[in-house]
Amino acid sequence: MQDIWRLSATELADLVRSRRASAREVAEAALHRLSTVNPAINAVVDHSTEDALAQADAVDAALDKGESLGVLAGVPVTVKVNVDQQGFATTNGVTLQRDWIAKTNSPVVDNLRKAGAVIIGRTNTPAFSYRWFTSNKLHGETLNPRDSSITPGGSSGGAAAAVAAGIGAIAHGTDIAGSVRYPAYACGVHGLRPTIGRVAAYNASSPERPICPQISAVSGPLARTIADVRLGLQALAQPDSRDPWWVPAPLDGPPRDKRAALCIAPDGLAVVPEVRDALKDAAKRLEAAGWIVEEIENTPPLREAAELQAQFWLGDGYQAMLEAAEREGDEGALACLRGNRDKAIADLASYSKLLTRRATLTRDWQTFFDGYAVLLMPVCGELPFPQRLDLKDEASFKRVWAAQMPQVGLPFVGLPGLTVSTGMVGRVPVGVQLVAGRYREDLCLLAGEAIEAGGVPPSPIDPVA
């Protein structure tokens, strides 16, 4: 039973429901895997064996009583350290928050538990969840299990590294500028950024959030199969009255023609040959599955959306963010903020202009999806970066931000995006990004399944030094 951790969430839930394995047996196998490989990658930075086994026993007890189990019955999952889980610190990778012990669960944790999941650990993030690399002074550095010389991504780097290494079948992540999609890309798994309002968000430990996180930050699932991403979304997207932005949209919308747009270099993005090849290969996989793929030169404004999202995220309350990072003394957070000093919002008129432009760009993108079910485009202009590249020098910092433009722009217009891992370039993963209209994650997943069928990197894997 030790190898039970290799199974998908779909398989594990079926196993538990059919009584071929107990939730406790599944949890024990997952915890054994955690203890075996986590020391090499530092993906999970907080966990309680007793708590996880108690959750598993509760699932088994419910099954014994004949109670209906949720879609994740007995499935081991991880959650990121920036959401409240009762009895654990909501550190967000910051020493200043090491004593922020949650008294209640966030909607994410509650909904996973209601779905029958067993939370086996909490995953690492960069300080304040600011970077596309994962390290901090409190929990240390997370390594990519596929190749320790490249980033595991960020800010949900611990989540992606965990699920790639077989620590849990599904990982929770958050995304305000690519923090689900890029770690999935870097670690060779799949990751979904849902539409804003799809997954309820609230932390009682820090209940007041600025406007940008309220209307562009989301939680989403990472997993080794698209089917498991779908299950994770189903579990997470349940109502919770604590989030005033939650939207009761159906998980499956009306049928659409299988028509996809392919844009290899949106808004003049510099794209390396390996990324270009992955996109063309993904387009062929879609066509083989019956999709019509039309290559287009450009999309609605994406670079402008990315620039405005960076300003919206880092410019609103910039001085307070900088002062907090200075108190923390984290080099990655300071590099992020100091490198974006020019994005500070000067006055109310500038803020109003930004929000006004947001509505216009959102309208342009929604109109674009009247003609296409999905858009196929890069996750990043480059292959996953060398570890700590953003700290090397100013030119490297700018290089990182320039390559990430396709991720940063989508949150500004509130759209869903799915990273589909498609293969390897040596030991380095590569993949593509699928985008659809608001609340049409189902279309991303439908196209993602067609691309996945053409081949994905093997996982789970043992960490490679």
Side-chain angles (χ1 to χ4, degrees):
M1 295 295 288
Q2 290 297 323
D3 279 353
I4 203 170
W5 56 268
R6 293 184 180 276
L7 300 179
S8 70
T10 305
E11 292 167 327
L12 289 170
D14 288 344
L15 206 62
V16 171
R17 285 196 198 92
S18 66
R19 299 293 188 106
R20 287 175 288 152
S22 67
R24 175 174 265 265
E25 288 173 319
V26 171
E28 287 174 340
L31 290 165
H32 177 74
R33 180 63 176 174
L34 189 159
S35 66
T36 301
V37 301
N38 192 64
I41 57 176
N42 192 38
V44 173
V45 293
D46 194 7
H47 82 284
S48 166
T49 297
E50 294 76 14
D51 181 72
L53 293 178
Q55 293 176 56
D57 289 342
V59 172
D60 288 331
L63 195 59
D64 289 341
K65 295 175 184 176
E67 298 175 2
S68 61
L69 299 179
V71 294
L72 297 180
V75 174
V77 304
T78 59
V79 297
K80 193 173 173 181
V81 292
N82 65 349
V83 296
D84 285 353
Q85 182 181 355
Q86 187 175 8
F88 294 85
T90 308
T91 69
N92 202 15
V94 177
T95 63
L96 301 171
Q97 296 179 199
R98 71 169 83 232
D99 297 324
W100 286 23
I101 307 300
K103 297 180 180 178
T104 57
N105 289 329
S106 67
V108 161
V109 172
D110 277 341
N111 283 334
L112 287 171
R113 293 287 304 275
K114 289 174 186 175
V118 174
I119 299 171
I120 60 168
R122 294 171 61 76
T123 54
N124 204 15
T125 182
F128 304 100
S129 294
Y130 279 162
R131 298 169 65 208
W132 289 289
F133 304 78
T134 297
S135 66
N136 57 69
K137 294 172 65 178
L138 179 59
H139 302 304
E141 184 173 60
T142 296
L143 301 180
N144 191 320
R146 295 193 184 273
D147 186 338
S148 60
S149 72
I150 61 173
T151 177
S155 62
S156 306
V163 81
I167 304 173
I170 295 175
H172 155 263
T174 60
D175 188 314
I176 197 172
S179 289
V180 163
R181 291 162 289 153
Y182 188 65
Y185 177 75
C187 289
V189 295
H190 311 308
L192 175 68
R193 172 199 159 79
T195 310
I196 184 67
R198 171 68 80 184
V199 176
Y202 175 75
N203 277 339
S205 63
S206 53
E208 301 298 330
R209 293 199 300 168
I211 295 298
C212 179
Q214 286 190 46
I215 63 176
S216 65
V218 301
S219 285
L222 299 91
R224 298 185 293 268
T225 71
I226 298 295
D228 284 359
V229 172
R230 188 188 299 275
L231 271 187
L233 177 64
Q234 187 177 345
L236 290 169
Q238 299 303 311
D240 193 295
S241 59
R242 292 172 291 180
D243 185 355
W245 300 106
W246 184 81
V247 176
L251 286 172
D252 292 300
R256 292 285 305 270
D257 291 338
K258 290 183 177 180
R259 183 178 175 85
L262 165 64
C263 190
I264 292 176
D267 273 356
L269 176 74
V271 178
V272 299
E274 296 89 346
V275 170
R276 186 179 298 270
D277 290 346
L279 288 162
K280 290 182 176 179
D281 176 55
K284 290 179 181 177
R285 297 184 194 186
L286 284 174
E287 289 173 335
W291 287 73
I292 296 171
V293 181
E294 177 186 341
E295 185 167 354
I296 61 175
E297 289 297 318
N298 223 326
T299 66
L302 187 61
R303 186 175 301 279
E304 180 188 3
E307 291 171 352
L308 291 174
Q309 176 65 6
Q311 185 178 24
F312 196 23
W313 171 34
L314 300 171
D316 182 18
Y318 173 84
Q319 192 58 39
M321 292 181 186
L322 181 61
E323 289 172 0
E326 288 172 341
R327 288 196 303 274
E328 179 67 15
D330 183 89
E331 60 178 348
L334 288 169
C336 176
L337 290 168
R338 289 169 178 168
N340 286 287
R341 189 181 298 274
D342 62 328
K343 295 180 175 61
I345 297 176
D347 50 36
L348 184 59
S350 300
Y351 197 62
S352 177
K353 183 179 179 180
L354 180 149
L355 290 174
T356 300
R357 186 61 179 157
R358 178 176 180 268
T360 299
L361 294 178
T362 301
R363 186 179 304 112
D364 289 345
W365 275 94
Q366 281 297 104
T367 301
F368 173 82
F369 284 112
D370 286 343
Y372 301 99
V374 297
L375 167 66
L376 174 62
M377 71 173 186
V379 181
C380 177
E382 297 193 28
L383 293 174
F385 305 120
Q387 186 76 304
R388 297 179 292 278
L389 178 64
D390 62 335
L391 301 180
K392 182 179 178 182
D393 51 39
E394 184 178 355
S396 298
F397 179 86
K398 290 181 177 179
R399 169 187 161 188
V400 167
W401 274 79
Q404 300 290 65
M405 183 267 286
Q407 297 165 61
V408 183
L410 293 185
F412 192 68
V413 291
L415 297 176
L418 173 68
T419 288
V420 182
S421 191
T422 57
M424 302 289 289
V425 180
R427 292 198 334 199
V428 179
V430 70
V432 299
Q433 182 172 201
L434 290 164
V435 188
R438 287 181 296 174
Y439 305 105
R440 294 312 308 262
E441 295 88 356
D442 57 323
L443 296 175
C444 290
L445 294 167
L446 181 67
E449 286 169 336
I451 295 172
E452 178 188 45
V456 295
S459 61
I461 58 165
D462 290 334
V464 178

